[in-house]
Amino acid sequence: MKFLLFTFVGVVHLFSLNSGKAIYKNDISRRTFQEIKEEIARYKDVAKAIINLAVYGKAQNRSYERLALLVDTVGPRPSGSKSLEKAIQIMYQNLQEDGLENVHLEPVKIPHWERGEESAVMLEPRVHKMAILGLGSSIGTPPEGITAEVLVVTSFEELQRRAPEARGKIVVYNQPYVNYSKTVQYRVQGAVEAAKVGALASLIRSVASFSIYSPHTGIQEYQDGVPKIPTACITVEDAEMISRMASRGNRIVIQLKMGAKNYPDADSFNTVAEIIGSKYPEQVVLVSGHLDSWDVGQGAMDDGGGAFVSWEALSLIKDLGLRPKRTLRLVLWTAEEQGGIGGFQYYQLHKANISNYSLVMESDEGTFLPSGLQFTGSEKARAIMEEVMRLLQPVNVTQVFRTGEGTDINFWIQAGVPGASLVDDLYKYFSFHHSHGDTMTVMDPKQMNVAAAVWAVVSYVIADMEEMLPRS
Amino acid sequence: MKFLLFTFVGVVHLFSLNSGKAIYKNDISRRTFQEIKEEIARYKDVAKAIINLAVYGKAQNRSYERLALLVDTVGPRPSGSKSLEKAIQIMYQNLQEDGLENVHLEPVKIPHWERGEESAVMLEPRVHKMAILGLGSSIGTPPEGITAEVLVVTSFEELQRRAPEARGKIVVYNQPYVNYSKTVQYRVQGAVEAAKVGALASLIRSVASFSIYSPHTGIQEYQDGVPKIPTACITVEDAEMISRMASRGNRIVIQLKMGAKNYPDADSFNTVAEIIGSKYPEQVVLVSGHLDSWDVGQGAMDDGGGAFVSWEALSLIKDLGLRPKRTLRLVLWTAEEQGGIGGFQYYQLHKANISNYSLVMESDEGTFLPSGLQFTGSEKARAIMEEVMRLLQPVNVTQVFRTGEGTDINFWIQAGVPGASLVDDLYKYFSFHHSHGDTMTVMDPKQMNVAAAVWAVVSYVIADMEEMLPRS
């Protein structure tokens, strides 16, 4: 996941769902809500069959095992790398062998950045080798590195206030972790803000909920007209130590060396597979996760898990011999971490067909035990989603939160298509996010089973109902 | 902490503490337990004064701030290093400036091992740079490294069963984490057991309760007559991945390079300070932690925290103008991590005086919020300790567990002296233990305040009571 824009506001029930009369004004459907409820309730046995297969049956642990095989084989899959290319080839083959339909690749030009060799050594007040990770898209330093005194600040406001002190220095941001969407601004804009006040480089405290001296990388963005300076993340531990040293009046000097380089855009693909709809094949429920990752760890959690429970959703439906009325489309995005490049390309290519998209789903915030679904859509659509989620009572995952989102599906959501995402333990997610620790060790097969069951039930029922989800 | 030998068995109450008659057979004291209880209860106001000063008063956060200053200034303090030497010099000065008595250094010869440059790269089935940390006392590899196929096992039993496969290989132990004292045997003896079956090197899964791709080092021990082979720890994540790869039939090849070297023993010191007893100055309550650490992180938790709450205990007592009847002796051990070298030396030097030791205390398992005290001693002594711990009701730390221990005090405990240690969150402790993550970020000033209060109340009251703690 690159960054989040939503604010988490919890569960909301706006309708009396027991009402038998049409509760919607200007309802496109002439059916009463009671009729819709009854239609959804008839999926109870199908939902149970999906759950039984995913959680207790022969498909249990399948998405975990499939994912482990891929990420152990190819490792991390950064945008523009050979390993991402290899992963896409493997997945293309996997999806065909799985018997899915219309398996194909949609070309996308994607950024190609490599970190190269990198190091940071504190020279004063004491020699200390620091763990760092260059931030995606950062330029490198000269080969001899940048050796400069440090100005440490805890916020952009403090940087502004102390702007005259920043010139010629390395700015260290020791911003507290509030939540990801707020704190990630320091990763994304830290270099630009530091460059504006004359800094030579910037280092940010890793955006992480928990640390064992673990740097957490991610994309950063330069700005036209502002000098490009090298930028990396350091650990929470080092950021706090530097802050303590500065508060004692210590002069702090760091030597930063980064071999980071941006290469010409590379060829890549969104990977697509379908179960073609029986009655409205042109209408789509899109289920997705991204196949690329950062270049550290295994990209098992971000977003191997999301990609593989999405695949698993289609596998489960196919294994049960089900074919919904609408087309279920799996998309495994490329270059999400570079800012949703694959997702944007897909939107450009397919937006003419937007009226046929009933629901867009992306899992990119972990596939631990889900507590429910985040959903963005009209209140009518939300009421329907709440009914659908009742089908997941057997695995006790029934809540519908606000706000569904995902870097790759936000284009559709902003254009009015209902969107859904999985909700789970974000504290755990941001403990490992974009770090060397994003490996299969974080993943739990039983939790992935439940996540896949939720994903399959929701996507199948929405794809099979008589009518598309109503929009605002 | 090097390794633990105790088994945790919880709280036990053997006596009816409300009984007014002498409950001990062969009691050396002619006083009834009721009289002892009353004596202890009279310390209620003193205990409150200590707690108020440590937790709410002007001493709050002092041990944290003192520790941060030391470990930020000198960094990690491995046995035989210049930084350990510097830390001892600083502490010698600190203790004098604090107004403590009889501040002195007791010479100890200690091991001097350095890891040098080290790396491990998986070459097959895919190229993957692995995080490692050589284990203390390990020899290095030849400069070109050791490149060999891997045999991965989950236990010593599996290694025995598959002994013929081990010759010429690198043995990887992927032993599960049961608890520290059990699992650490793989770190301590892994190289010896692998060498016995002809392995060229051994890598152990880090002994840790939690991991973000963090290697956790520690001492290992060679055995006379068994070839010395290089040995290091790898991360939990890599050990699990290697295990998965092996289970799929992959051939795994690793190149291990270690510049580790053992140097001649170095000069060091146990650092001692006292509050000399007013009535029985030759009798001692010993309060301690170790000043050395591993060479990664800051040694803030292991055992900066233990050393500094021990110092703080004496500071608090001195600040309140208290002087117990017996001598309160602070010892900051050297080279604990190499197997309690400083502790052993101290025991040899002072054991002639063993009958004068009322209680030995060591904090070396964290100074997070304590849940109570671990205690080893006669049932009579335990009953007294339980009364003393009632004085800590204001901070809700009243439990007396079995079994008090500490690498540096076990010599005394085994010889019959009552021993006590702090109990806190061992899951948290072993998340950071011996890793780059052992830094001030783990430490909580408010929790250290409480730990120091417990340590001060217990040591003061035991040092000031009319009689020494009874032995078995």
Side-chain angles (χ1 to χ4, degrees):
Chain A
M1 181 175 59
K2 187 203 169 200
F3 50 85
L4 307 176
L5 300 170
F6 71 91
T7 311
F8 197 69
V9 292
V11 189
V12 181
H13 289 276
L14 291 178
F15 297 106
S16 164
L17 299 178
N18 296 319
S19 162
K21 63 183 195 298
I23 56 171
Y24 307 134
K25 289 179 183 169
N26 311 316
D27 200 339
I28 54 164
S29 168
R30 301 179 59 175
R31 298 185 302 159
T32 64
F33 189 67
Q34 183 59 35
E35 286 165 341
I36 294 173
K37 272 186 69 172
E38 285 163 7
E39 182 191 8
I40 294 170
R42 286 193 294 274
Y43 288 100
K44 198 171 167 187
D45 289 344
V46 168
K48 272 191 187 163
I50 290 172
I51 290 165
N52 282 337
L53 179 60
V55 179
Y56 310 107
K58 71 176 178 61
Q60 65 179 302
N61 303 354
R62 181 169 61 185
S63 59
Y64 174 92
E65 297 296 343
R66 283 169 165 177
L67 176 61
L69 180 59
L70 181 82
V71 303
D72 288 349
T73 303
V74 305
R77 303 167 301 285
S79 182
S81 68
K82 292 283 172 204
S83 61
L84 176 57
E85 206 178 311
K86 191 172 168 187
I88 291 169
Q89 287 165 359
I90 292 174
M91 287 308 299
Y92 178 73
Q93 195 172 338
N94 283 344
L95 297 173
Q96 285 187 311
E97 288 174 2
D98 196 29
L100 297 177
E101 297 158 0
N102 193 18
V103 177
H104 67 279
L105 301 176
E106 301 191 357
V108 189
K109 281 281 184 192
I110 63 174
H112 178 193
W113 172 87
E114 292 185 17
R115 69 176 63 256
E117 291 293 312
E118 55 188 20
S119 66
V121 182
M122 180 187 286
L123 301 175
E124 296 183 36
R126 68 174 168 93
V127 175
H128 167 55
K129 277 193 202 174
M130 299 165 64
I132 65 165
L133 283 174
L135 299 183
S137 84
S138 174
I139 61 167
T141 64
E144 71 278 14
I146 292 172
T147 302
E149 198 175 331
V150 162
L151 171 68
V152 54
V153 297
T154 57
S155 66
F156 288 133
E157 291 66 33
E158 186 181 354
L159 180 66
Q160 290 312 313
R161 214 163 50 239
R162 300 179 63 184
E165 297 175 61
R167 183 156 304 278
K169 295 218 177 89
I170 295 174
V171 166
V172 171
Y173 292 100
N174 180 35
Q175 81 286 344
Y177 182 73
V178 180
N179 60 44
Y180 186 68
S181 57
K182 280 193 180 159
T183 310
V184 76
Q185 304 309 326
Y186 287 88
R187 193 190 77 210
V188 176
Q189 305 166 26
V192 161
E193 294 305 319
K196 282 181 185 169
V197 292
L200 302 179
S202 65
L203 298 171
I204 61 137
R205 170 180 162 138
S206 287
V207 181
S209 51
F210 185 76
S211 179
I212 305 183
Y213 202 68
S214 42
H216 298 244
T217 188
I219 199 74
Q220 70 91 36
E221 290 172 7
Y222 290 127
Q223 198 173 298
D224 287 345
V226 178
K228 294 180 177 183
I229 61 172
T231 185
C233 65
I234 60 176
T235 63
V236 169
E237 288 89 336
D238 278 339
E240 291 191 349
M241 182 174 72
I242 289 168
S243 228
R244 288 193 301 273
M245 287 170 164
S247 73
R248 293 183 197 117
N250 292 146
R251 181 174 187 265
I252 302 153
V253 176
I254 288 175
Q255 181 185 62
L256 177 69
K257 289 187 183 178
M258 290 173 60
K261 207 172 157 188
N262 289 286
Y263 295 86
D265 281 358
D267 291 316
S268 187
F269 305 92
N270 292 322
T271 305
V272 183
E274 294 181 342
I275 295 175
I276 296 169
S278 59
K279 189 168 174 184
Y280 312 113
E282 74 288 0
Q283 293 181 8
V284 175
V285 168
L286 188 149
V287 188
S288 70
H290 65 87
L291 207 53
D292 67 301
S293 73
W294 280 101
D295 58 338
V296 291
Q298 297 189 293
M301 180 190 79
D302 183 11
D303 181 33
F308 274 62
V309 300
S310 295
W311 173 20
E312 185 67 18
L314 270 70
S315 290
L316 292 166
I317 291 161
K318 178 193 63 60
D319 286 354
L320 290 168
L322 299 169
R323 181 178 294 281
K325 297 186 188 70
R326 271 167 222 91
T327 293
L328 263 180
R329 180 174 297 164
L330 169 70
V331 185
L332 305 177
W333 313 104
T334 192
E336 185 274 347
E337 297 292 3
Q338 272 58 33
I341 309 299
F344 181 69
Q345 166 81 23
Y346 180 88
Y347 180 67
Q348 293 299 325
L349 198 65
H350 296 278
K351 66 182 175 186
N353 194 34
I354 193 166
S355 62
N356 278 322
Y357 279 68
S358 180
L359 176 65
V360 290
M361 300 164 67
E362 182 169 21
S363 166
D364 188 19
E365 290 161 36
T367 50
F368 310 130
L369 194 65
S371 57
L373 213 64
Q374 285 171 277
F375 180 74
T376 297
S378 65
E379 293 308 320
K380 303 173 192 178
R382 175 173 301 277
I384 293 171
M385 290 302 287
E386 285 172 357
E387 288 304 306
V388 172
M389 290 299 283
R390 283 170 193 262
L391 300 168
L392 287 150
Q393 189 61 55
V395 284
N396 197 27
V397 185
T398 57
Q399 296 190 83
V400 181
F401 301 91
R402 302 178 187 259
T403 305
E405 64 85 50
T407 304
D408 300 293
I409 58 170
N410 283 340
F411 310 105
W412 298 90
I413 293 172
Q414 281 154 24
V417 177
S421 44
L422 276 176
V423 184
D424 60 6
D425 182 349
L426 284 182
Y427 181 85
K428 182 172 178 185
Y429 186 76
F430 288 113
S431 298
F432 300 102
H433 181 252
H434 295 188
S435 81
H436 294 284
D438 180 354
T439 69
M440 285 309 295
T441 295
V442 183
M443 309 304 289
D444 181 315
K446 295 197 188 317
Q447 296 183 349
M448 284 184 78
N449 293 342
V450 176
V454 172
W455 223 220
V457 167
V458 171
S459 61
Y460 176 76
V461 174
I462 298 294
D464 196 57
M465 288 174 66
E466 269 312 317
E467 293 176 309
M468 284 179 59
L469 278 178
R471 301 191 187 174
S472 302
Chain B
M1 180 173 59
K2 186 201 170 203
F3 50 88
L4 306 176
L5 300 169
F6 70 90
T7 311
F8 198 71
V9 292
V11 189
V12 182
H13 287 276
L14 291 178
F15 299 107
S16 163
L17 298 176
N18 295 319
S19 162
K21 64 182 193 297
I23 55 172
Y24 308 130
K25 289 177 182 170
N26 312 316
D27 199 338
I28 55 164
S29 168
R30 301 179 57 177
R31 296 187 301 158
T32 63
F33 189 66
Q34 183 58 36
E35 286 166 340
I36 294 173
K37 272 185 67 171
E38 285 164 6
E39 182 193 9
I40 293 170
R42 286 194 294 273
Y43 287 100
K44 198 172 167 188
D45 288 344
V46 168
K48 274 191 186 163
I50 290 172
I51 290 166
N52 282 337
L53 179 59
V55 179
Y56 311 107
K58 72 178 175 60
Q60 65 178 303
N61 304 353
R62 181 170 62 185
S63 59
Y64 174 93
E65 296 295 343
R66 283 169 166 176
L67 176 61
L69 179 58
L70 181 81
V71 303
D72 288 348
T73 303
V74 306
R77 303 166 301 284
S79 182
S81 68
K82 291 284 170 201
S83 60
L84 176 56
E85 205 178 313
K86 191 173 167 188
I88 291 169
Q89 288 165 358
I90 292 173
M91 287 308 298
Y92 178 74
Q93 196 173 338
N94 283 344
L95 297 173
Q96 286 186 310
E97 288 173 2
D98 197 29
L100 297 177
E101 298 158 357
N102 194 19
V103 177
H104 66 280
L105 302 176
E106 301 190 358
V108 188
K109 281 280 184 192
I110 62 174
H112 178 194
W113 172 86
E114 293 185 17
R115 70 177 63 257
E117 291 295 311
E118 55 188 19
S119 66
V121 182
M122 179 187 285
L123 301 175
E124 295 182 34
R126 68 175 168 92
V127 175
H128 166 56
K129 277 192 202 175
M130 300 166 65
I132 65 166
L133 283 174
L135 299 183
S137 85
S138 174
I139 62 167
T141 64
E144 70 277 15
I146 291 172
T147 302
E149 199 176 330
V150 162
L151 171 68
V152 54
V153 297
T154 56
S155 66
F156 288 134
E157 292 64 35
E158 186 181 353
L159 181 65
Q160 289 313 311
R161 212 162 55 239
R162 301 179 64 184
E165 297 175 60
R167 184 156 305 278
K169 294 217 177 93
I170 295 173
V171 167
V172 171
Y173 294 99
N174 180 34
Q175 80 287 344
Y177 182 74
V178 181
N179 60 45
Y180 187 69
S181 57
K182 282 194 179 157
T183 309
V184 77
Q185 305 309 323
Y186 287 87
R187 194 191 75 210
V188 176
Q189 305 166 26
V192 161
E193 295 305 319
K196 281 180 184 169
V197 292
L200 302 179
S202 64
L203 298 171
I204 61 136
R205 170 180 162 138
S206 287
V207 181
S209 51
F210 185 77
S211 180
I212 305 182
Y213 201 70
S214 42
H216 297 243
T217 189
I219 199 74
Q220 70 90 36
E221 290 172 7
Y222 291 126
Q223 198 173 297
D224 287 345
V226 178
K228 294 181 178 183
I229 60 173
T231 186
C233 64
I234 59 176
T235 63
V236 169
E237 288 88 337
D238 278 339
E240 292 191 348
M241 182 174 73
I242 288 168
S243 229
R244 288 194 302 273
M245 287 172 166
S247 72
R248 293 183 197 119
N250 291 146
R251 181 173 188 265
I252 302 152
V253 176
I254 287 175
Q255 180 184 63
L256 177 68
K257 290 187 183 178
M258 291 173 59
K261 207 171 157 189
N262 290 286
Y263 295 86
D265 281 358
D267 291 316
S268 188
F269 306 92
N270 292 322
T271 306
V272 184
E274 295 181 343
I275 295 174
I276 296 168
S278 59
K279 189 168 175 184
Y280 312 113
E282 74 288 359
Q283 292 181 8
V284 175
V285 168
L286 187 148
V287 188
S288 69
H290 66 87
L291 207 52
D292 68 301
S293 73
W294 281 102
D295 59 338
V296 290
Q298 298 189 292
M301 179 190 79
D302 183 13
D303 183 31
F308 275 63
V309 300
S310 295
W311 172 20
E312 185 67 17
L314 270 69
S315 290
L316 291 167
I317 292 161
K318 178 193 63 63
D319 286 354
L320 289 167
L322 299 169
R323 181 177 295 279
K325 297 186 186 71
R326 273 168 221 91
T327 294
L328 262 182
R329 181 174 297 165
L330 169 70
V331 186
L332 306 178
W333 313 104
T334 193
E336 185 275 346
E337 296 293 0
Q338 271 59 34
I341 309 299
F344 181 69
Q345 166 80 22
Y346 179 89
Y347 179 68
Q348 293 300 324
L349 198 65
H350 296 278
K351 66 183 177 186
N353 194 34
I354 193 167
S355 61
N356 278 323
Y357 279 69
S358 181
L359 176 66
V360 291
M361 300 164 67
E362 182 170 21
S363 167
D364 189 18
E365 291 162 34
T367 50
F368 309 130
L369 194 66
S371 57
L373 213 65
Q374 284 170 278
F375 180 75
T376 298
S378 66
E379 293 308 321
K380 303 173 192 179
R382 175 174 302 277
I384 292 171
M385 288 303 285
E386 286 172 355
E387 288 304 307
V388 172
M389 290 300 283
R390 284 171 192 264
L391 299 169
L392 287 150
Q393 189 60 58
V395 285
N396 197 28
V397 184
T398 57
Q399 296 190 85
V400 181
F401 302 91
R402 301 178 188 260
T403 305
E405 64 84 50
T407 305
D408 301 292
I409 59 171
N410 282 341
F411 311 104
W412 299 90
I413 293 172
Q414 281 153 26
V417 178
S421 44
L422 276 177
V423 185
D424 60 6
D425 182 350
L426 285 183
Y427 180 85
K428 181 172 178 182
Y429 186 75
F430 289 112
S431 299
F432 300 101
H433 180 252
H434 294 188
S435 81
H436 293 283
D438 179 354
T439 69
M440 285 309 294
T441 295
V442 183
M443 309 304 288
D444 181 314
K446 294 198 188 314
Q447 296 183 349
M448 285 185 78
N449 294 341
V450 177
V454 172
W455 224 219
V457 167
V458 171
S459 61
Y460 176 77
V461 173
I462 298 295
D464 196 57
M465 287 175 68
E466 269 311 318
E467 293 175 309
M468 283 177 61
L469 277 180
R471 302 194 188 174
S472 301

